[in-house]
Amino acid sequence: MVVLVWLAVAPAQSQDGESLDALVEKWLASPHGDYHSQSFTYWNKDGEVPVDCAACHSQTGFLDYLGADGSASGVVDHPAVINAPIGCASCHTSAAHALDSVSFPSGVTVDGLGSSAVCTVCHQGRLSGDDISTATGGIDEDEVSGDLAFMNVHYGVAAAVMRGSDVRGGYQYPGKTYAGTFAHVPNANTCVACHDPHTTQVETDGCISCHRGVEDPRDIRMRHTDFDGDGDNAGGIHAEILGLHGDLLAAIQSYAAEISDASIGYAPGTYPYFFQDSDGDGQIGDDEAAYPNRYQSWTPRLLKAAYNYQVVKKDPGGYVHNPAYMLQLLHDSLEDLSAQVDIDMTAYRRP
């Protein structure tokens, strides 16, 4: 049934003259068309995708959100069908073409999104730094509280990162200023300007044509400061972000052991990501990455740093989307932890 919908709405060929068959092949090879992805199969056991998840994890849910099915727009009214990846009908409908503004978890609505609007609906995360402020309010910064648990920004948060402080996707420390929407050059300033809309792959030729002398976009840098304090600024800005990211995890682990009195570790592929490091080796093994062993000795200070760590982790393209915002979140998280654990902040630089 879904395939019939695609054929009914997809154009015979793209503006570049690609055939429908070629476009479908591209889509089938993309994450949006992966029938086997957990993104579209997680709810198979339940027989439906719940309302809270449907907009981004089922084509019928996305059409419901858009109001393309005749329902009210901006809300999902019913659970969605399983095994329904995001297909042609998700974007090639009049409702999708008309979409121009999207609300973020912080409550901020961004207008004038144009072709990036449909991407922004799902690639913004489920939380904002405001949610962290609310959860930690009224609790002493270094008090372990049973009322706290790790709060996951969710996945694929590129749109929130691109908008930076304008939508407050990361936890922004009081008294600090943060980079707003990252304005790239006009011909590389939308989602589909850099990502093939059907494969979602980044078209790097445009990057290299402007940033001469590099073969990999990760080697690009327009800021030559040594932000991560390792004495090396020869690599791209991606390397600076990775350096700070690694230092932040080490600082989180030091704080947990010294202040929360319970060792912590991170497992990148297992929810809820932060677990008790039972053997104290700094790593989370398969036996430790189990929900009953989730980390539960959270303080407000620790939760804020862990949340920002996850924001950066869940946008691996952050070095392109908004590098200054990434660096600021990491730097300030380290600085805040340094109030309680020994972190030499003198070598770090904040953009």
Side-chain angles (χ1 to χ4, degrees):
M1 178 181 68
V2 179
V3 174
L4 292 177
V5 173
W6 295 333
L7 294 177
V9 298
Q13 60 180 209
S14 72
Q15 292 179 346
D16 297 327
E18 291 183 278
S19 69
L20 175 59
D21 287 346
L23 294 175
V24 170
E25 286 301 316
K26 277 187 170 184
W27 172 80
L28 286 171
S30 77
H32 290 158
D34 185 357
Y35 282 94
H36 304 291
S37 169
Q38 191 177 36
S39 299
F40 306 116
T41 61
Y42 179 80
W43 301 271
N44 285 4
K45 62 185 183 303
D46 303 320
E48 62 184 22
V49 183
V51 167
D52 287 346
C53 307
C56 300
H57 294 280
S58 172
Q59 177 165 272
T60 60
F62 192 73
L63 294 174
D64 185 343
Y65 175 85
L66 291 175
D69 61 353
S71 64
S73 62
V75 64
V76 176
D77 300 289
H78 306 288
V81 300
I82 59 174
N83 293 324
I86 301 302
C88 304
S90 301
C91 301
H92 294 290
T93 63
S94 58
H97 293 163
L99 187 67
D100 195 49
S101 65
V102 175
S103 294
F104 283 75
S106 61
V108 174
T109 297
V110 177
D111 302 315
L113 288 169
S115 61
S116 296
V118 290
C119 310
T120 301
V121 170
C122 293
H123 292 282
Q124 57 171 276
R126 296 287 302 271
L127 296 176
S128 74
D130 296 6
D131 295 298
I132 307 303
S133 296
T134 299
T136 57
I139 306 173
D140 183 83
E141 281 292 279
D142 301 300
E143 175 188 344
V144 175
S145 172
D147 293 331
L148 298 178
F150 179 62
M151 299 174 68
N152 184 33
V153 68
H154 210 57
Y155 316 104
V157 296
V161 170
M162 287 179 67
R163 298 286 161 182
S165 64
D166 294 336
V167 300
R168 304 187 299 277
Y171 176 76
Q172 301 176 184
Y173 290 88
K176 299 287 188 176
T177 59
Y178 291 87
T181 299
F182 182 63
H184 214 142
V185 294
N187 64 343
N189 211 25
T190 66
C191 302
V192 297
C194 297
H195 293 266
D196 183 291
H198 297 101
T199 66
T200 73
Q201 294 297 308
V202 177
E203 299 177 337
T204 59
D205 289 348
C207 309
I208 306 306
S209 66
C210 288
H211 297 279
R212 301 295 179 90
V214 300
E215 296 181 358
D216 187 327
R218 288 173 292 187
D219 295 329
I220 296 170
R221 71 186 298 156
M222 301 300 291
R223 299 165 181 261
H224 299 286
T225 302
D226 176 20
F227 295 107
D228 66 358
D230 66 353
D232 181 9
N233 66 350
I237 202 68
H238 179 255
E240 299 292 330
I241 293 172
L242 286 183
L244 280 174
H245 199 232
D247 288 354
L248 179 56
L249 180 58
I252 285 171
Q253 291 177 309
S254 295
Y255 177 95
E258 296 176 25
I259 307 301
S260 295
D261 198 28
S263 296
I264 193 173
Y266 182 81
T270 307
Y271 180 84
Y273 307 102
F274 287 96
F275 296 90
Q276 176 83 24
D277 182 14
S278 306
D279 56 14
D281 67 351
Q283 306 294 322
I284 298 298
D286 292 342
D287 58 330
E288 294 173 304
Y291 188 78
N293 191 48
R294 67 195 181 279
Y295 195 77
Q296 299 183 68
S297 298
W298 294 102
T299 71
R301 194 185 307 274
L302 183 59
L303 181 60
K304 293 167 185 176
Y307 175 80
N308 279 346
Y309 181 88
Q310 184 77 331
V311 169
V312 174
K313 183 71 173 179
K314 293 307 175 183
D315 185 16
Y319 66 99
V320 173
H321 298 141
N322 201 336
Y325 191 61
M326 297 280 91
L327 292 166
Q328 289 166 348
L329 293 178
L330 293 169
H331 179 279
D332 294 351
S333 298
L334 279 162
E335 185 178 62
D336 191 57
L337 291 174
S338 74
Q340 289 296 332
V341 296
D342 186 16
I343 302 171
D344 183 4
M345 295 296 298
T346 58
Y348 295 123
R349 294 292 180 269
R350 187 182 193 273

